[in-house]
Amino acid sequence: MTVDTSAVRDRLTTLGSPWTDGPFGTAVAHAELIAEVTATGAAQTAARTRRQQHGNTERAADDPQFLRVLADADARSAVATAAVDSLVRGAEEGTASDADAVLVAAGLSALSREAVRALFETLGASSTLTEHGLQHFWTRLHELG
């Protein structure tokens, strides 16, 4: 299950500034990052055909440990999307404040760090090679703060 955050982003964009700036935009950006990391992790895992050193299956995508990690990633993504959906709904209704957005952004910042860490930990040392292009997740994470 991959969560699509584009509808939430579209709704926030419709509200315009100041909603798209500051903590509201940051919260949505964290949810987007988590969703992208989740999708990338699932795709990278499914693409691995060789048996992992300590794996019990021929394909990483069939390994129960990888499946658990992917399920955890899906859960993080679903929670992040639900949080920003609620925040944007509050903005649309006029009930959300900057303080609400700061709290959601702070919580999603922690989830983003966990998502990126889990991606590299799960895919192993080879995932840090430039040829895989995954370093942009670290860059985006640090840009979001």
Side-chain angles (χ1 to χ4, degrees):
M1 172 187 145
T2 303
V3 179
D4 181 15
T5 57
S6 61
V8 176
R9 172 60 75 182
D10 291 344
R11 288 175 34 225
L12 185 66
T13 301
T14 299
L15 291 172
S17 186
W19 303 108
T20 54
D21 304 324
F24 284 88
T26 300
V28 174
H30 276 292
E32 291 169 333
L33 175 60
I34 294 166
E36 188 178 339
V37 166
T38 299
T40 299
Q44 291 279 328
T45 301
R48 292 178 178 233
T49 55
R50 70 176 179 82
R51 182 176 167 188
Q52 301 301 308
Q53 181 178 1
H54 300 292
N56 297 319
T57 62
E58 290 299 317
R59 295 179 334 124
D62 297 329
D63 188 304
Q65 291 175 329
F66 276 99
L67 293 174
R68 188 175 133 255
V69 168
L70 294 175
D72 289 348
D74 277 340
R76 274 192 299 275
S77 188
V79 166
T81 301
V84 294
D85 179 63
S86 177
L87 184 65
V88 171
R89 191 174 325 110
E92 291 167 334
E93 296 168 356
T95 59
S97 68
D98 276 350
D100 296 330
V102 167
L103 288 173
V104 171
L108 295 184
S109 174
L111 279 181
S112 292
R113 283 190 305 276
E114 175 60 21
V116 172
R117 183 207 57 76
L119 174 72
F120 285 97
E121 183 178 278
T122 301
L123 296 178
S126 65
S127 65
T128 63
L129 297 173
T130 305
E131 65 200 46
H132 296 295
L134 300 178
Q135 71 277 4
H136 74 280
F137 290 126
W138 282 119
T139 303
R140 285 177 49 203
L141 179 64
H142 292 290
E143 287 171 352
L144 289 173

